[in-house]
Amino acid sequence: MKSIVYLHEIADEDRERVGGKSLALAAMARDRMNVPDAACITAEVYTDYVTTTGLSERILLELGRKDFEEMRWEEMWDASLRIRNMFLNTPIPIRLSAILRDAIEGRFKGKAVVIRSSAPGEDSARASFAGLHESYVNVTGTDSIMEHIRLVWASLWSDAALLYRQELGLNFEKSTMAVLVQEMVVGGESGVAFGQNPNDESQAVIEAVYGLNQGLVDGTVEPDRWILDRKTGEIISHSPAHREKAILPTPEGVRPEPLTSTEVDTPPLDGKRIQKVFDLALGAERLFGAPQDVEWTFSRDLLYVLQSRPITTRRTGEPTDNRAWYLSLRRSFQNLKTLRRRIEKELIPAMVEEAQSLSRQDAAKLPDMELAAEIARRSQIHERWVKIYWSDFIPFAHGARLFGQVYNDTVRPTDPYEFIDLLGSTNMASLERNRMLEEMAGMIRENPRFAESLRNQKKDFDPGFTKVLGEFMERFGDLFQGLAQSTKQREAICRLLLEMASRAPTDEGRRSKDVEALKNNFLSHFEGEQKGEAAELLDLGRASYRLRDDDNIYLGRIERQMLAAIDEGRRRIENRDALDAKHISTKELVKTLEDPSYVPKRYHTAKRATSDDELKARQLVGQPAGPGIAKGKARVILDPSDLFDFKSKEILVCDAVEPQMTFVVPLSAGIVERRGGMLIHGAIIAREYGLPCVTGVPNATSLIHTGDEVTVDGYLGIVVVG
Amino acid sequence: MKSAWEMRKALKDLFNAQHLGVLATQGGGQPYSSLVAFAATDDLKYLVFATTRATRKYANLSSESRVAMLIDNRTNQDSDFHNAMAVTAMGTAEEVKDSEKDQLVKRYLAKHPYLEGFVTAPTCALLKVRVDKYYLVSRFQNVMELHLKP
């Protein structure tokens, strides 16, 4: 086995051992281009490490919990987080680490390095893993370099890389990773060059920033951009950036710093240097026989090439992949802080306002034509918010993820989800609703007379209770979906309260002390300025976590207003034309309301294939999303009306815990959900109430039936039926 | 695994690929397991195997006909944990009657041609297990049951 090869030793036949990035740098070094000194830790070392430690099979077991095709992005992230933690907690065996340490000390003692991924076999003309694996800049000292090598290995399983493999249908069983340890060049100006503009073959593109390249690559620093004529090298256009900051090295790592006033006013490259970078891109293209995407930096007057790879090309008409969106799910701290302000100060208030203004318009009072217009309007409004949900709210979920990663890197807990306990216990809208319910249930528990009166459907038997119930109805009076009338809502809520009162009160605040201890322990790993940043990150993580719950509630309010109008429309058609309007789409509904002579098309509901044999689930595997074990009868929610019958200590089984369902959570003994993930609504609420929870169970609602005895193993993520 | 059809397909593929299974019998309350060459009928209702009448399993079956059989595709490597599939069949064994023997021997030998001498020996019995239920374990811990129509 060849563990380490130096740049000058790498030959073309080493491709599978060193990966495309190392191979390209070696070729450029041979061609006398200015390349920083580097060593490659071969893919064989990775394979040796994951095989001897058993990590290889643990990873495949983790990813084999369900059909890879069926995994959602949130499940990918969870799998990725667990795998990363496995790497963090699995030291490199002494035999292997001794070889690596010797080589690193011999070559890079006292020098700062950049540690880059160089995965063999994955970068090709069809697929580009650019940016999906990690690189670490400005790492010094053998211990730290060794540590970061493991992190680069772990990034072979980053969520973005997993999502990309899923989309392209790539097999990951044999995936390996070589690591490039490259001497750090502290450049004053850096950037990327595309030998050919992906949007116009006659052009080349150069982007440049002050300082290091990282800010440009991860999107925190906006670059100046030049478009050049590929044939003549003439500059066609220059788009100056709004120059503010540069990424500069610190004793450990990098950080953004403000630019000097001269830098703010001057583009990072002048004409002569632009030509130099352009020549470099063309030189690389000549060497590799295809247009290249080159990363470069100027250190004093010397131009270095840091890496080069072929530009990924797609034939026209071929669907473009979603790599950019996957990458957008990973955001920097700065970027998230900006996003938080936008969400908290603009989007959420606008959403609340939107729902309120919709609720002021009573759909039932509109004549048919206006109702049709109102249905169309509300659908559009809802659609617009769903888009915002995907473009802003979901990426903001990364705040919790970013915190989780930092927490796991510093604290190294054995439970990779320990950080969630630290994020919880914040004021979530759904918890406030449940607290009010619990308060009323408490009043009933203490006054048996109340229960009696409620059972006999008496009203106003106690002024105190009437007041609290009135307040609750005011704020959350649309608790049960599908019950338009407030009297029916009241009845259903009273029934729920009686059920809640029949069991012991939930123990609130039981974790507040642990949370304080976890927080102090986390912060104790930081000193000085870093401590403040860590606290700020925790705050951001909490906001992000809370929003994962609240955004659903707010979006739910808008959705309910839309559904109220649609229901009203359906009801009218049913009365007017005596037809079953259940399976008519919104568009068809609008048309039928506008034109009484129009006959709406209906969509067909799929029939289940029947067979004489009976298929039963015995043990289903999902993800462990809330620790603990619970046994009970299943209550499968196929329709919102199934919630009416929910009994204390039942197991809630559903496709996804929708925000409007969470009021039954305190009644339940455990949760099973088809939708997977740790940061999804159901998992968050389950964790808040300390309930065992398993998410990501394929076909949960069809394989489990109401009344089945179910055991929820929230430690292992298993559901046993029967 | 979403449907009975899907599970049937997985069972058929596994049974076609595997030659041996582990048969569990019991005598006087003591479980006893042995490796047998098996073949399944197309409708998956029966698993057929052969044994000489002097064996312990044959003696056990004479007093207790309820059996279990394990058929799996492990390769004795780490990857088995995420890749391997194991099926447990539960059912009742009985000796094949003369009227159906030709057909089942043909079926059995189509899969195990090298056992011709063994199966046709006068001391050898052909047995069939009428399967009530199959348990299929995949992805390490996923367990599905298929209850066959009686």
Side-chain angles (χ1 to χ4, degrees):
Chain A
M1 181 181 90
K2 258 191 180 172
S3 310
I4 292 208
V5 279
Y6 299 100
L7 223 45
H8 65 270
E9 299 171 340
I10 295 174
D12 280 346
E13 60 266 28
D14 288 322
R15 178 176 279 278
E16 281 309 301
R17 174 181 288 148
V18 301
K21 199 179 286 178
S22 307
L23 199 72
L25 281 168
M28 289 189 288
R30 273 201 304 276
D31 203 48
R32 304 197 173 278
M33 289 167 87
N34 212 3
V35 179
D37 186 27
C40 178
I41 295 160
T42 65
E44 286 147 307
V45 177
Y46 171 85
T47 306
D48 189 340
Y49 165 68
V50 294
T51 314
T52 48
T53 55
L55 255 185
S56 173
E57 187 55 19
R58 284 174 70 197
I59 292 166
L60 295 175
L61 268 174
E62 181 61 54
L63 295 173
R65 281 172 177 271
K66 64 157 64 166
D67 193 343
F68 191 59
E69 298 296 308
E70 282 182 28
M71 279 173 97
R72 302 173 62 243
W73 73 267
E74 288 178 298
E75 296 177 85
M76 295 271 185
W77 182 69
D78 289 327
S80 176
L81 175 83
R82 282 193 280 262
I83 291 171
R84 194 167 187 276
N85 232 43
M86 290 177 198
F87 277 88
L88 286 176
N89 289 315
T90 308
I92 302 174
I94 293 171
R95 162 186 61 84
L96 208 50
S97 98
I99 299 172
L100 298 184
R101 293 186 78 95
D102 279 354
I104 289 166
E105 247 157 59
R107 196 83 172 196
F108 302 106
K109 193 164 189 169
K111 289 178 182 164
V113 299
V114 181
I115 301 174
R116 295 180 192 273
S117 62
S118 184
E122 294 194 328
D123 272 332
S124 66
R126 190 169 80 95
S128 166
F129 273 74
L132 299 181
H133 301 140
E134 297 285 347
S135 288
Y136 294 91
V137 178
N138 196 24
V139 181
T140 356
T142 309
D143 287 341
S144 186
I145 293 174
M146 293 290 287
E147 199 71 31
H148 284 89
I149 289 170
R150 258 197 288 166
L151 289 177
V152 172
W153 282 342
S155 76
L156 182 59
W157 309 100
S158 76
D159 54 339
L162 288 176
L163 282 161
Y164 196 52
R165 288 194 195 107
Q166 183 189 44
E167 187 179 337
L168 298 187
L170 303 177
N171 183 7
F172 52 76
E173 294 240 348
K174 305 258 181 268
S175 292
T176 57
M177 174 73 93
V179 178
L180 192 73
V181 182
Q182 187 181 49
E183 208 172 292
M184 168 102 181
V185 179
V186 182
E189 301 82 19
S190 315
V192 293
F194 292 91
Q196 188 171 52
N197 185 347
N199 303 318
D200 185 339
E201 349 190 291
S202 70
Q203 300 172 341
V205 184
I206 292 171
E207 292 181 338
V209 295
Y210 282 106
L212 305 177
N213 237 340
Q214 273 48 54
L216 191 164
V217 176
D218 69 20
T220 42
V221 180
E222 188 195 340
D224 275 55
R225 177 183 287 121
W226 289 268
I227 305 278
L228 284 79
D229 186 312
R230 247 172 79 81
K231 269 194 196 133
T232 61
E234 262 172 60
I235 296 169
I236 299 173
S237 67
H238 170 214
S239 320
H242 180 65
R243 295 176 212 106
E244 282 177 314
K245 51 196 169 184
I247 301 294
L248 299 180
T250 62
E252 234 180 301
V254 293
R255 64 174 305 131
E257 294 286 350
L259 295 178
T260 64
S261 57
T262 331
E263 285 168 337
V264 167
D265 296 334
T266 322
L269 293 182
D270 58 19
K272 208 172 122 200
R273 283 190 164 190
I274 290 169
Q275 278 311 314
K276 269 192 167 180
V277 174
F278 179 61
D279 289 345
L280 175 76
L282 289 189
E285 180 171 337
R286 263 194 304 279
L287 182 63
F288 297 113
Q292 297 288 299
D293 160 5
V294 178
E295 261 186 52
W296 52 266
T297 195
F298 272 104
S299 178
R300 276 166 295 240
D301 251 347
L302 262 184
L303 175 61
Y304 286 86
V305 52
L306 304 175
Q307 59 173 313
S308 178
R309 59 185 156 231
I311 293 170
T312 316
T313 49
R314 261 160 231 288
R315 266 169 250 119
T316 39
E318 222 176 309
T320 50
D321 60 52
N322 284 322
R323 194 168 59 95
W325 192 76
Y326 305 148
L327 285 169
S328 83
L329 295 174
R330 262 199 285 171
R331 305 230 171 176
S332 70
F333 187 34
Q334 290 302 327
N335 187 312
L336 285 165
K337 281 207 285 194
T338 315
L339 191 55
R340 177 183 180 179
R341 267 195 301 278
R342 178 170 146 75
I343 287 173
E344 289 182 345
K345 298 269 177 309
E346 295 169 34
L347 295 175
I348 294 281
M351 226 173 163
V352 171
E353 169 57 34
E354 187 96 81
Q356 272 170 358
S357 97
L358 288 177
S359 69
R360 281 194 285 271
Q361 171 79 273
D362 187 355
K365 288 187 182 143
L366 297 172
D368 285 3
M369 282 301 273
E370 283 174 40
L371 178 63
E374 184 63 13
I375 290 174
R377 187 176 78 95
R378 290 188 186 188
S379 301
Q380 273 172 12
I381 289 173
H382 180 251
E383 201 181 317
R384 185 163 65 82
W385 281 107
V386 169
K387 270 191 196 144
I388 291 172
Y389 182 81
W390 282 92
S391 65
D392 294 76
F393 292 174
I394 287 190
F396 187 60
H398 186 59
R401 305 163 48 171
L402 184 68
F403 173 74
Q405 188 153 320
V406 172
Y407 185 87
N408 284 346
D409 284 359
T410 44
V411 179
R412 307 264 164 128
T414 38
D415 170 14
Y417 292 108
E418 192 175 277
F419 75 92
I420 289 185
D421 291 336
L422 197 41
L423 294 182
S425 305
T426 49
N427 297 319
M428 293 193 278
S430 61
L431 291 183
E432 170 60 18
R433 185 178 63 191
N434 288 2
R435 255 195 295 275
M436 286 183 83
L437 284 169
E438 192 56 53
E439 185 192 342
M440 289 186 281
M443 291 168 91
I444 300 169
R445 231 175 260 129
E446 281 165 21
N447 301 285
R449 187 174 59 83
F450 287 12
E452 192 55 35
S453 306
L454 280 174
R455 250 178 243 119
N456 297 327
Q457 305 198 351
K458 275 193 196 158
K459 280 185 183 171
D460 305 330
F461 47 84
D462 179 85
F465 185 83
T466 306
K467 186 167 170 270
V468 184
L469 182 59
E471 265 171 36
F472 181 84
M473 292 290 294
E474 181 96 343
R475 286 180 66 183
F476 304 109
D478 50 0
L479 193 61
F480 287 93
Q481 229 193 354
L483 291 183
Q485 286 176 8
S486 67
T487 45
K488 292 257 183 230
Q489 282 285 355
R490 193 178 181 279
E491 275 173 43
I493 289 167
C494 290
R495 222 152 38 113
L496 173 75
L497 289 173
L498 283 169
E499 189 62 37
M500 287 178 75
S502 71
R503 55 119 180 84
T506 48
D507 183 12
E508 241 197 283
R510 76 207 118 71
R511 287 203 319 255
S512 57
K513 219 176 105 191
D514 310 356
V515 170
E516 209 44 39
L518 282 177
K519 181 181 163 184
N520 292 336
N521 179 44
F522 168 65
L523 293 177
S524 73
H525 288 80
F526 301 92
E527 275 178 18
E529 207 177 305
Q530 282 194 333
K531 203 175 211 123
E533 279 175 12
E536 221 184 314
L537 180 63
L538 170 61
D539 185 52
L540 180 87
R542 282 180 166 166
S544 158
Y545 188 68
R546 192 168 54 229
L547 185 82
R548 286 302 290 141
D549 189 82
D550 291 356
D551 60 2
N552 279 301
I553 297 248
Y554 298 130
L555 189 62
R557 282 187 193 163
I558 290 174
E559 188 182 16
R560 264 197 303 281
Q561 293 304 327
M562 173 186 75
L563 290 176
I566 291 175
D567 283 349
E568 175 63 24
R570 289 215 166 106
R571 200 181 54 76
R572 281 194 205 176
I573 288 178
E574 281 175 357
N575 286 344
R576 190 183 75 189
D577 304 344
L579 42 82
D580 177 13
K582 215 184 220 167
H583 301 304
I584 298 176
S585 71
T586 310
K587 255 193 190 156
E588 289 292 295
L589 189 64
V590 170
K591 273 193 196 169
T592 321
L593 282 169
E594 284 171 343
D595 175 8
S597 65
Y598 183 76
V599 181
K601 289 187 212 90
R602 296 185 200 194
Y603 53 83
H604 297 285
T605 43
K607 270 192 189 152
R608 263 197 221 163
T610 50
S611 154
D612 289 339
D613 305 329
E614 195 191 348
L615 182 76
K616 285 181 74 175
R618 168 65 186 161
Q619 190 167 280
L620 298 170
V621 179
Q623 283 190 68
I629 188 151
K631 245 183 180 175
K633 281 208 161 62
R635 172 71 58 184
V636 182
I637 310 300
L638 297 171
D639 185 272
S641 63
D642 292 323
L643 291 169
F644 298 173
D645 303 314
F646 204 94
K647 300 279 178 310
S648 178
K649 297 288 165 205
E650 284 184 331
I651 307 285
L652 174 64
V653 181
C654 58
D655 187 67
V657 175
E658 299 292 346
Q660 62 272 19
M661 282 185 192
T662 51
F663 61 90
V664 300
V665 168
L667 268 182
S668 70
I671 297 176
V672 177
E673 186 170 346
R674 194 266 317 157
R675 191 168 64 164
M678 282 299 300
L679 294 175
I680 58 166
H681 202 72
I684 289 177
I685 294 286
R687 238 167 136 118
E688 284 298 326
Y689 286 98
L691 292 174
C693 176
V694 177
T695 65
V697 178
N699 310 304
T701 57
S702 58
L703 292 173
I704 303 173
H705 306 98
T706 291
D708 283 350
E709 278 293 334
V710 172
T711 307
V712 183
D713 181 341
Y715 297 107
L716 290 174
I718 297 172
V719 182
V720 185
V721 186
Chain B
M1 201 97 12
K2 292 181 192 109
S3 64
W5 180 85
E6 215 179 306
M7 175 137 167
R8 277 185 162 270
K9 184 168 183 315
L11 293 175
K12 272 190 187 167
D13 290 348
L14 180 74
F15 296 165
N16 284 336
Q18 297 303 314
H19 292 244
L20 299 172
V22 177
L23 175 76
T25 58
Q26 60 155 314
Q30 171 63 57
Y32 176 76
S33 47
S34 34
L35 212 52
V36 294
F38 78 96
T41 55
D42 276 339
D43 59 8
L44 299 178
K45 276 189 177 152
Y46 297 98
L47 296 173
V48 182
F49 65 93
T51 177
T52 58
R53 292 189 176 80
T55 56
R56 187 178 306 275
K57 58 180 162 297
Y58 190 81
N60 281 352
L61 287 171
S62 310
S63 58
E64 172 58 77
S65 59
R66 285 177 303 166
V67 295
M69 196 148 144
L70 177 85
I71 297 152
D72 72 308
N73 62 2
R74 85 196 108 118
T75 58
N76 200 28
Q77 283 172 0
D78 287 358
S79 58
D80 286 337
F81 288 93
H82 76 279
N83 261 341
M85 191 183 266
V87 169
T88 301
M90 308 274 274
T92 316
E94 61 176 301
E95 195 160 341
V96 170
K97 291 183 196 77
D98 285 346
S99 58
E100 53 182 355
K101 196 161 186 179
D102 279 357
Q103 189 205 341
L104 288 178
V105 165
K106 210 173 139 194
R107 164 108 215 156
Y108 190 71
L109 288 180
K111 189 169 176 189
H112 305 286
Y114 35 81
L115 292 181
E116 191 175 2
F118 174 69
V119 174
T120 51
T123 44
C124 188
L126 191 67
L127 290 108
K128 61 176 188 180
V129 176
R130 169 70 173 93
V131 181
D132 306 318
K133 279 178 218 159
Y134 284 109
Y135 297 86
L136 187 150
V137 185
S138 61
R139 303 184 181 283
F140 188 42
Q141 295 190 105
N142 231 314
V143 190
M144 296 298 291
E145 297 177 14
L146 188 72
H147 295 213
L148 297 188
K149 198 181 152 204

